Amino acid sequence: MSSSPIPGASSGSSTDVEKQYQEQYLKQQDAAADVEKSPSQQQQQGASTEPDFGPPPNGGLAAWMVVLGGFCTVFASFGWINCIGIFQDYYQSHQLKAYSPSTVAWIPSVESFMLFFGGPLVGYMTDQLGPRIPILIGTFLHVFGLMMTSISKEYYQILLSQSICSALGCSFLFYAPIAALGTWFRAHRALAFGIVTAGSSIGGVVLPIMVERLVVRIGFGWAMRSTALLFLGLLVIGNLTVKSRLPPPGRKFNFMDFVTPFAERPFLLLTASAFIFYLGAFLPFTFIIVTS
């Protein structure tokens, strides 16, 4: 018995083959079109797929809490650096009276240097990780450094604990919240930055008076420990409130990013003038109390 062929079998299979060829042809055309796109078009296409977080809110509870936390961290960091003069005076007449004033001056000088020296590192970490981890690291370094200063007796001990450890922590605490704050404000950015940076000025007024009176009443060691505990409370607020509205960009490290801007004359002149300015900016902070 011979089986009869199924009607339309050959025509159906040929139709399926044609569809497969058409699909492959369309895929090849799409791939060729993607290759022919210019790099700028590819970047625009990639950028269009990135989430849009919208404009800064310019207010709201979360934004103003960042301002509060930034004020606390700047008060405890830059505000502390602003009161370095009281230690120049105290060390000359107590622990380090055997050293010359110029030798003692290395302690506040290195302390102010470390505040700015850590800027590139803190900026890179903030770009990669956001502000939370740098602020947490700064909290530990600053508080730990002050605690170690409270038990330091020798010159090198004070230099390591106060001028390097604590001051490097201040660098982490100063730059990270400043970077995060800019993501929350546009219309009221000047007001927000003014409130946060006022922490350094208020700290420079309050902390010298506080530390000087504490040293007289409870001694140098407990004065430093009390100040460290005060900073710990303020920095807990900073750790809980300071955050960036945008996710970390996660840019890869490129050394040329730090070099290329110097090719622009306005940036070069601004950097040079700032360098010259800060050569003498902290001299009054160090010696005004000694000479008063």
Side-chain angles (χ1 to χ4, degrees), residues 155-240:
Y155 181 88
Y156 76 92
Q157 295 173 341
I158 299 174
L159 186 68
L160 290 175
S161 58
Q162 182 175 351
S163 300
I164 296 180
C165 181
S166 171
L168 186 59
C170 290
S171 183
F172 279 89
L173 294 171
F174 175 66
Y175 289 105
I178 294 296
L181 184 63
T183 65
W184 290 94
F185 292 92
R186 178 175 297 169
H188 305 297
R189 182 172 294 181
L191 175 62
F193 275 102
I195 295 174
V196 170
T197 55
S200 63
S201 301
I202 297 176
V205 173
V206 174
L207 292 175
I209 300 173
M210 183 190 77
V211 173
E212 191 172 16
R213 294 187 177 182
L214 286 175
V215 168
V216 174
R217 294 185 179 183
I218 60 178
F220 177 80
W222 275 107
M224 297 299 290
R225 287 188 281 272
S226 300
T227 304
L229 292 175
L230 170 64
F231 288 165
L232 180 60
L234 293 173
L235 295 176
V236 167
I237 298 175
N239 278 274
L240 294 176

Coordinates of all heavy atoms in Angstrom, one line a residue, residues 155-240:
Y155 N 56.6 63.9 71.8 CA 56.4 64.7 70.6 C 55.9 63.9 69.4 O 54.9 64.3 68.8 CB 57.7 65.4 70.2 CG 57.6 66.3 69.0 CD1 57.2 67.6 69.1 CD2 57.9 65.8 67.7 CE1 57.1 68.5 68.0 CE2 57.8 66.6 66.6 CZ 57.4 67.9 66.7 OH 57.3 68.7 65.6
Y156 N 56.5 62.8 69.2 CA 56.1 61.9 68.0 C 54.7 61.4 68.2 O 54.0 61.1 67.3 CB 57.1 60.8 67.8 CG 57.1 59.7 68.8 CD1 56.3 58.5 68.5 CD2 57.8 59.7 70.0 CE1 56.2 57.5 69.4 CE2 57.7 58.7 70.9 CZ 56.9 57.5 70.6 OH 56.8 56.5 71.5
Q157 N 54.3 61.1 69.5 CA 53.0 60.6 69.8 C 51.9 61.6 69.4 O 50.9 61.3 68.8 CB 52.9 60.1 71.2 CG 53.8 59.0 71.6 CD 53.8 58.7 73.1 OE1 53.4 59.6 73.9 NE2 54.2 57.5 73.5
I158 N 52.2 62.8 69.8 CA 51.2 63.9 69.5 C 51.1 64.1 68.0 O 50.1 64.3 67.5 CB 51.6 65.2 70.3 CG1 51.5 64.9 71.8 CG2 50.6 66.3 69.9 CD1 52.0 66.1 72.6
L159 N 52.3 64.1 67.4 CA 52.3 64.3 65.9 C 51.5 63.2 65.2 O 50.8 63.5 64.3 CB 53.8 64.4 65.4 CG 54.0 64.7 64.0 CD1 53.6 66.2 63.7 CD2 55.4 64.5 63.6
L160 N 51.7 62.0 65.6 CA 51.0 60.9 64.9 C 49.5 60.9 65.2 O 48.7 60.7 64.3 CB 51.6 59.6 65.3 CG 53.0 59.2 64.8 CD1 53.5 57.9 65.4 CD2 53.1 59.2 63.3
S161 N 49.1 61.1 66.4 CA 47.7 61.0 66.8 C 46.9 62.2 66.4 O 45.9 62.1 65.8 CB 47.6 60.8 68.3 OG 48.2 61.8 69.0
Q162 N 47.4 63.4 66.7 CA 46.6 64.6 66.5 C 46.9 65.2 65.1 O 45.9 65.5 64.4 CB 47.0 65.7 67.5 CG 46.2 67.0 67.3 CD 46.4 68.0 68.4 OE1 47.1 67.7 69.4 NE2 45.9 69.2 68.3
S163 N 48.1 65.2 64.6 CA 48.4 65.9 63.4 C 48.2 65.0 62.1 O 47.9 65.6 61.1 CB 49.9 66.3 63.4 OG 50.1 67.2 64.4
I164 N 48.2 63.7 62.3 CA 48.1 62.8 61.1 C 46.7 62.0 61.2 O 45.9 62.2 60.3 CB 49.3 61.9 61.0 CG1 50.5 62.7 60.7 CG2 49.0 60.8 59.9 CD1 51.8 61.8 60.6
C165 N 46.6 61.3 62.3 CA 45.4 60.4 62.4 C 44.1 61.3 62.5 O 43.2 61.1 61.6 CB 45.5 59.5 63.6 SG 44.1 58.4 63.8
S166 N 44.0 62.1 63.4 CA 42.8 62.9 63.6 C 42.6 63.9 62.4 O 41.5 64.0 62.0 CB 42.9 63.7 64.9 OG 41.9 64.7 65.0
A167 N 43.7 64.5 62.0 CA 43.5 65.5 60.9 C 43.1 64.8 59.6 O 42.3 65.3 58.8 CB 44.8 66.2 60.7
L168 N 43.6 63.6 59.3 CA 43.2 62.8 58.1 C 41.7 62.5 58.2 O 41.0 62.5 57.2 CB 44.0 61.6 58.0 CG 43.8 60.8 56.7 CD1 44.1 61.6 55.4 CD2 44.6 59.5 56.6
G169 N 41.2 62.1 59.4 CA 39.8 61.9 59.6 C 39.0 63.2 59.3 O 37.9 63.1 58.8
C170 N 39.5 64.3 59.7 CA 38.8 65.6 59.4 C 38.7 65.8 57.9 O 37.7 66.3 57.4 CB 39.6 66.8 60.0 SG 39.5 66.8 61.8
S171 N 39.7 65.3 57.2 CA 39.6 65.5 55.7 C 38.5 64.6 55.2 O 37.7 65.1 54.3 CB 40.9 65.0 55.1 OG 40.9 65.2 53.7
F172 N 38.3 63.4 55.6 CA 37.2 62.6 55.2 C 35.9 63.2 55.6 O 34.9 63.2 54.8 CB 37.3 61.2 55.9 CG 38.2 60.3 55.2 CD1 39.6 60.2 55.5 CD2 37.8 59.4 54.2 CE1 40.5 59.4 54.8 CE2 38.7 58.6 53.5 CZ 40.0 58.5 53.8
L173 N 35.8 63.8 56.8 CA 34.6 64.4 57.3 C 34.2 65.7 56.6 O 33.0 66.1 56.6 CB 34.7 64.6 58.8 CG 34.8 63.3 59.6 CD1 35.1 63.7 61.1 CD2 33.6 62.5 59.6
F174 N 35.2 66.4 56.0 CA 34.9 67.7 55.4 C 34.4 67.5 54.0 O 33.4 68.1 53.5 CB 36.1 68.6 55.5 CG 36.0 69.9 54.8 CD1 35.0 70.8 55.2 CD2 36.7 70.2 53.7 CE1 34.9 72.0 54.6 CE2 36.6 71.4 53.0 CZ 35.7 72.3 53.5
Y175 N 35.1 66.8 53.2 CA 34.9 66.7 51.7 C 33.7 65.9 51.3 O 32.9 66.2 50.4 CB 36.1 66.2 51.0 CG 37.3 67.2 51.0 CD1 38.4 67.0 51.8 CD2 37.2 68.3 50.2 CE1 39.4 67.9 51.8 CE2 38.3 69.2 50.2 CZ 39.4 69.0 51.0 OH 40.4 69.9 51.0
A176 N 33.4 64.8 52.0 CA 32.3 63.9 51.6 C 31.0 64.6 51.7 O 30.2 64.5 50.8 CB 32.4 62.6 52.5
P177 N 30.6 65.2 52.9 CA 29.3 65.9 52.9 C 29.2 67.0 52.0 O 28.1 67.3 51.5 CB 29.2 66.3 54.4 CG 30.6 66.4 54.9 CD 31.3 65.3 54.2
I178 N 30.3 67.7 51.7 CA 30.2 68.8 50.7 C 29.8 68.3 49.3 O 29.0 68.9 48.6 CB 31.5 69.6 50.7 CG1 31.8 70.3 52.0 CG2 31.6 70.6 49.5 CD1 30.8 71.4 52.4
A179 N 30.4 67.2 49.0 CA 30.1 66.6 47.7 C 28.6 66.1 47.6 O 28.0 66.2 46.6 CB 31.0 65.4 47.4
A180 N 28.2 65.5 48.7 CA 26.8 65.0 48.7 C 25.8 66.1 48.7 O 24.7 66.0 48.1 CB 26.6 64.1 49.9
L181 N 26.1 67.2 49.3 CA 25.1 68.3 49.5 C 24.7 68.9 48.1 O 23.5 69.2 47.9 CB 25.7 69.4 50.4 CG 24.8 70.6 50.7 CD1 23.6 70.1 51.5 CD2 25.5 71.6 51.5
G182 N 25.6 68.9 47.2 CA 25.3 69.5 45.9 C 24.3 68.8 45.1 O 23.7 69.3 44.1
T183 N 24.0 67.5 45.4 CA 23.0 66.7 44.7 C 21.6 67.0 45.1 O 20.7 66.6 44.5 CB 23.3 65.2 44.8 OG1 23.1 64.8 46.2 CG2 24.7 64.9 44.4
W184 N 21.4 67.8 46.2 CA 20.1 68.0 46.8 C 19.5 69.4 46.5 O 18.3 69.6 46.6 CB 20.1 67.8 48.3 CG 20.3 66.4 48.7 CD1 21.5 65.7 49.0 CD2 19.3 65.4 48.8 NE1 21.3 64.4 49.3 CE2 19.9 64.2 49.2 CE3 17.9 65.4 48.7 CZ2 19.2 63.0 49.5 CZ3 17.2 64.2 48.9 CH2 17.9 63.0 49.3
F185 N 20.4 70.3 46.1 CA 20.0 71.7 45.9 C 20.5 72.3 44.6 O 21.6 72.0 44.2 CB 20.5 72.6 47.1 CG 19.9 72.2 48.4 CD1 20.5 71.3 49.3 CD2 18.7 72.8 48.8 CE1 19.9 71.0 50.5 CE2 18.1 72.5 50.1 CZ 18.7 71.6 50.9
R186 N 19.6 73.1 44.1 CA 20.0 74.0 42.9 C 19.6 75.4 43.2 O 20.4 76.3 43.2 CB 19.5 73.5 41.6 CG 19.8 74.4 40.4 CD 19.3 73.8 39.1 NE 20.0 72.5 38.9 CZ 19.5 71.6 37.9 NH1 18.5 72.0 37.1 NH2 20.2 70.5 37.7
A187 N 18.3 75.6 43.5 CA 17.8 77.0 43.7 C 18.3 77.5 45.0 O 18.6 78.7 45.1 CB 16.3 76.9 43.7
H188 N 18.4 76.7 46.1 CA 18.8 77.2 47.4 C 20.2 76.6 47.8 O 20.5 76.4 48.9 CB 17.8 76.7 48.5 CG 16.4 77.1 48.2 ND1 16.1 78.5 48.1 CD2 15.3 76.4 47.9 CE1 14.8 78.6 47.9 NE2 14.3 77.3 47.7
R189 N 21.0 76.4 46.7 CA 22.4 75.8 47.0 C 23.3 76.7 47.8 O 24.0 76.3 48.7 CB 23.0 75.5 45.7 CG 24.4 74.8 45.8 CD 24.9 74.3 44.5 NE 24.1 73.2 43.9 CZ 24.3 72.6 42.8 NH1 25.4 73.0 42.0 NH2 23.6 71.7 42.3
A190 N 23.2 78.0 47.5 CA 24.1 78.9 48.3 C 23.7 78.9 49.8 O 24.6 79.0 50.7 CB 24.0 80.3 47.7
L191 N 22.4 78.9 50.1 CA 21.9 78.9 51.5 C 22.4 77.6 52.1 O 22.9 77.6 53.3 CB 20.4 79.0 51.5 CG 19.8 78.9 52.9 CD1 20.3 80.0 53.8 CD2 18.2 78.9 52.8
A192 N 22.2 76.5 51.4 CA 22.6 75.2 52.0 C 24.1 75.1 52.3 O 24.5 74.7 53.4 CB 22.1 74.1 51.1
F193 N 24.9 75.5 51.3 CA 26.3 75.5 51.6 C 26.7 76.5 52.6 O 27.7 76.2 53.4 CB 27.1 75.8 50.2 CG 27.3 74.6 49.4 CD1 26.4 74.3 48.3 CD2 28.2 73.6 49.7 CE1 26.6 73.2 47.5 CE2 28.4 72.5 48.9 CZ 27.6 72.3 47.8
G194 N 26.1 77.6 52.7 CA 26.4 78.6 53.7 C 26.1 78.0 55.1 O 26.9 78.3 56.0
I195 N 25.0 77.3 55.3 CA 24.7 76.7 56.6 C 25.8 75.7 57.0 O 26.2 75.6 58.1 CB 23.3 76.1 56.6 CG1 22.3 77.3 56.4 CG2 23.0 75.4 57.9 CD1 20.8 76.7 56.3
V196 N 26.1 74.8 56.0 CA 27.1 73.8 56.3 C 28.4 74.3 56.6 O 29.1 73.9 57.6 CB 27.1 72.8 55.1 CG1 28.3 71.8 55.3 CG2 25.8 72.0 55.0
T197 N 28.9 75.2 55.8 CA 30.3 75.8 56.0 C 30.3 76.7 57.3 O 31.4 76.9 57.8 CB 30.8 76.5 54.8 OG1 29.8 77.5 54.4 CG2 31.0 75.6 53.6
A198 N 29.2 77.2 57.7 CA 29.2 77.9 58.9 C 29.6 77.1 60.1 O 30.0 77.6 61.2 CB 27.8 78.5 59.2
G199 N 29.5 75.8 60.0 CA 30.0 74.9 61.1 C 31.4 75.1 61.4 O 31.9 75.0 62.5
S200 N 32.3 75.4 60.4 CA 33.7 75.6 60.6 C 33.9 76.9 61.4 O 34.8 76.9 62.3 CB 34.4 75.6 59.3 OG 34.0 76.7 58.5
S201 N 33.2 77.9 61.1 CA 33.4 79.2 61.8 C 32.9 79.1 63.2 O 33.5 79.6 64.1 CB 32.6 80.3 61.0 OG 33.1 80.4 59.7
I202 N 31.7 78.5 63.4 CA 31.1 78.3 64.7 C 32.0 77.5 65.6 O 32.3 77.7 66.8 CB 29.7 77.8 64.7 CG1 28.8 78.8 64.0 CG2 29.2 77.5 66.1 CD1 27.4 78.3 63.8
G203 N 32.6 76.4 65.0 CA 33.5 75.5 65.7 C 34.8 76.3 66.0 O 35.3 76.1 67.1
G204 N 35.2 77.1 65.1 CA 36.4 77.9 65.4 C 36.3 78.9 66.6 O 37.3 79.3 67.2
V205 N 35.0 79.3 66.9 CA 34.7 80.2 68.0 C 34.5 79.4 69.3 O 35.0 79.7 70.3 CB 33.5 81.1 67.6 CG1 33.1 81.9 68.8 CG2 33.9 82.0 66.5
V206 N 33.7 78.4 69.2 CA 33.2 77.6 70.4 C 34.3 76.7 70.9 O 34.5 76.7 72.1 CB 31.9 76.9 70.1 CG1 31.5 76.0 71.2 CG2 30.8 77.8 69.7
L207 N 34.9 76.0 70.0 CA 35.8 74.9 70.5 C 37.1 75.4 71.3 O 37.4 74.8 72.3 CB 36.3 74.0 69.3 CG 35.1 73.2 68.7 CD1 35.6 72.5 67.5 CD2 34.6 72.2 69.7
P208 N 37.7 76.5 70.8 CA 38.9 77.0 71.6 C 38.5 77.4 73.1 O 39.2 77.1 74.0 CB 39.4 78.2 70.8 CG 38.9 78.0 69.5 CD 37.6 77.3 69.6
I209 N 37.3 78.0 73.2 CA 36.9 78.4 74.5 C 36.6 77.2 75.4 O 36.9 77.1 76.5 CB 35.7 79.4 74.4 CG1 36.0 80.6 73.6 CG2 35.1 79.7 75.8 CD1 34.8 81.5 73.3
M210 N 35.9 76.2 74.7 CA 35.5 75.0 75.5 C 36.7 74.2 75.9 O 36.8 73.8 77.1 CB 34.6 74.2 74.6 CG 34.1 72.9 75.2 SD 33.3 71.8 74.1 CE 34.7 71.1 73.3
V211 N 37.6 74.0 75.0 CA 38.8 73.2 75.3 C 39.7 73.9 76.4 O 40.2 73.2 77.3 CB 39.6 72.9 74.0 CG1 40.9 72.2 74.4 CG2 38.8 72.0 73.1
E212 N 39.9 75.2 76.2 CA 40.7 75.9 77.2 C 40.1 75.8 78.6 O 40.9 75.6 79.6 CB 40.8 77.3 76.7 CG 41.9 78.1 77.5 CD 42.1 79.5 76.9 OE1 41.2 80.0 76.1 OE2 43.1 80.1 77.2
R213 N 38.8 75.9 78.7 CA 38.2 75.9 80.1 C 38.2 74.4 80.6 O 38.4 74.2 81.8 CB 36.8 76.4 80.0 CG 36.8 77.9 79.7 CD 35.4 78.5 79.8 NE 35.4 80.0 79.6 CZ 34.4 80.7 79.7 NH1 33.2 80.2 80.0 NH2 34.5 82.0 79.5
L214 N 38.0 73.5 79.7 CA 38.1 72.1 80.2 C 39.4 71.7 80.6 O 39.6 70.9 81.6 CB 37.6 71.1 79.0 CG 36.1 71.1 78.7 CD1 35.9 70.3 77.5 CD2 35.3 70.6 79.9
V215 N 40.5 72.2 80.0 CA 41.8 71.8 80.4 C 42.1 72.3 81.8 O 42.7 71.6 82.6 CB 42.9 72.4 79.4 CG1 44.3 72.3 79.9 CG2 42.8 71.7 78.1
V216 N 41.6 73.5 82.1 CA 41.8 74.1 83.5 C 41.0 73.3 84.5 O 41.5 73.0 85.6 CB 41.4 75.6 83.5 CG1 41.5 76.1 84.9 CG2 42.3 76.4 82.5
R217 N 39.8 72.8 84.2 CA 39.0 72.2 85.2 C 39.2 70.7 85.3 O 39.2 70.2 86.5 CB 37.5 72.4 84.8 CG 37.1 73.9 84.9 CD 35.6 74.1 84.6 NE 35.2 75.5 84.7 CZ 33.9 75.9 84.6 NH1 33.0 75.0 84.3 NH2 33.7 77.2 84.6
I218 N 39.4 70.0 84.2 CA 39.5 68.5 84.3 C 40.8 68.0 83.8 O 41.0 66.8 83.8 CB 38.3 67.9 83.6 CG1 38.3 68.2 82.1 CG2 37.0 68.2 84.3 CD1 37.2 67.5 81.3
G219 N 41.7 68.9 83.3 CA 43.0 68.4 82.8 C 43.0 68.1 81.3 O 41.9 68.0 80.7
F220 N 44.2 68.1 80.7 CA 44.3 68.0 79.3 C 43.7 66.6 78.8 O 43.0 66.6 77.8 CB 45.8 68.1 78.9 CG 46.0 67.9 77.4 CD1 45.8 68.9 76.5 CD2 46.5 66.6 76.9 CE1 46.0 68.7 75.2 CE2 46.7 66.4 75.6 CZ 46.5 67.5 74.7
G221 N 44.0 65.5 79.5 CA 43.6 64.2 79.0 C 42.1 64.1 78.9 O 41.5 63.7 77.9
W222 N 41.4 64.5 80.0 CA 39.9 64.4 80.0 C 39.3 65.5 79.1 O 38.2 65.3 78.6 CB 39.4 64.5 81.4 CG 39.4 63.1 82.0 CD1 40.2 62.7 83.0 CD2 38.5 62.0 81.7 NE1 39.9 61.4 83.4 CE2 38.9 61.0 82.6 CE3 37.5 61.9 80.8 CZ2 38.2 59.7 82.5 CZ3 36.9 60.6 80.7 CH2 37.2 59.6 81.6
A223 N 40.0 66.6 78.9 CA 39.5 67.6 78.0 C 39.4 67.1 76.6 O 38.5 67.2 75.8 CB 40.3 68.9 78.1
M224 N 40.5 66.3 76.2 CA 40.5 65.8 74.8 C 39.5 64.6 74.7 O 38.9 64.5 73.7 CB 41.9 65.3 74.5 CG 43.0 66.4 74.5 SD 42.7 67.6 73.2 CE 43.0 66.6 71.7
R225 N 39.4 63.8 75.7 CA 38.4 62.7 75.7 C 37.0 63.3 75.6 O 36.1 62.7 74.9 CB 38.6 61.8 76.9 CG 39.9 60.9 76.8 CD 39.9 59.9 77.8 NE 40.4 60.4 79.1 CZ 41.7 60.5 79.5 NH1 42.6 60.1 78.6 NH2 42.0 61.0 80.6
S226 N 36.7 64.3 76.4 CA 35.4 64.9 76.4 C 35.1 65.5 75.0 O 33.9 65.3 74.5 CB 35.3 66.0 77.4 OG 35.5 65.5 78.7
T227 N 36.0 66.1 74.4 CA 35.9 66.7 73.1 C 35.6 65.6 72.0 O 34.8 65.7 71.2 CB 37.1 67.5 72.6 OG1 37.3 68.5 73.6 CG2 36.9 68.1 71.3
A228 N 36.4 64.5 72.2 CA 36.2 63.3 71.3 C 34.8 62.7 71.4 O 34.2 62.4 70.4 CB 37.3 62.3 71.6
L229 N 34.3 62.6 72.6 CA 32.9 62.1 72.8 C 31.9 63.1 72.3 O 30.9 62.6 71.7 CB 32.7 61.8 74.3 CG 33.5 60.7 74.9 CD1 33.3 60.6 76.4 CD2 33.2 59.4 74.3
L230 N 32.1 64.4 72.4 CA 31.2 65.3 71.8 C 31.2 65.2 70.3 O 30.1 65.1 69.7 CB 31.6 66.7 72.2 CG 30.9 67.9 71.4 CD1 29.4 67.9 71.8 CD2 31.6 69.2 71.7
F231 N 32.3 65.0 69.7 CA 32.4 64.9 68.2 C 31.8 63.5 67.8 O 31.1 63.5 66.8 CB 33.9 64.9 67.8 CG 34.5 66.2 67.8 CD1 35.9 66.4 67.7 CD2 33.7 67.4 67.9 CE1 36.5 67.6 67.8 CE2 34.3 68.6 68.0 CZ 35.7 68.8 67.9
L232 N 31.9 62.5 68.6 CA 31.3 61.2 68.3 C 29.8 61.4 68.2 O 29.2 60.8 67.3 CB 31.7 60.2 69.3 CG 31.1 58.8 69.1 CD1 31.6 58.2 67.8 CD2 31.5 57.9 70.3
G233 N 29.2 62.1 69.1 CA 27.7 62.3 69.1 C 27.3 63.1 67.8 O 26.3 62.8 67.2
L234 N 28.1 64.1 67.5 CA 27.8 64.9 66.3 C 28.0 64.1 65.0 O 27.1 64.2 64.1 CB 28.7 66.2 66.3 CG 28.4 67.2 67.3 CD1 29.5 68.3 67.3 CD2 27.0 67.8 67.2
L235 N 29.0 63.3 65.0 CA 29.3 62.5 63.8 C 28.3 61.3 63.7 O 28.1 60.8 62.5 CB 30.7 62.0 63.9 CG 31.8 63.1 63.8 CD1 33.2 62.6 64.0 CD2 31.6 63.9 62.5
V236 N 27.7 60.9 64.7 CA 26.6 59.9 64.6 C 25.5 60.5 63.8 O 24.9 59.8 62.9 CB 26.2 59.4 66.0 CG1 24.8 58.6 65.9 CG2 27.2 58.5 66.6
I237 N 25.2 61.7 64.1 CA 24.1 62.4 63.3 C 24.5 62.6 61.9 O 23.7 62.3 61.0 CB 23.9 63.8 63.9 CG1 23.4 63.7 65.4 CG2 22.9 64.6 63.1 CD1 23.2 65.1 66.1
G238 N 25.8 62.9 61.6 CA 26.3 63.0 60.3 C 26.2 61.7 59.5 O 25.8 61.6 58.3
N239 N 26.6 60.6 60.2 CA 26.5 59.3 59.5 C 25.1 58.9 59.2 O 24.9 58.1 58.2 CB 27.2 58.2 60.4 CG 28.7 58.2 60.3 OD1 29.3 57.6 59.5 ND2 29.3 59.0 61.2
L240 N 24.2 59.3 60.0 CA 22.8 58.9 59.8 C 22.0 59.7 58.8 O 21.0 59.3 58.2 CB 22.0 58.9 61.1 CG 22.5 57.9 62.2 CD1 21.7 58.1 63.5 CD2 22.3 56.4 61.7

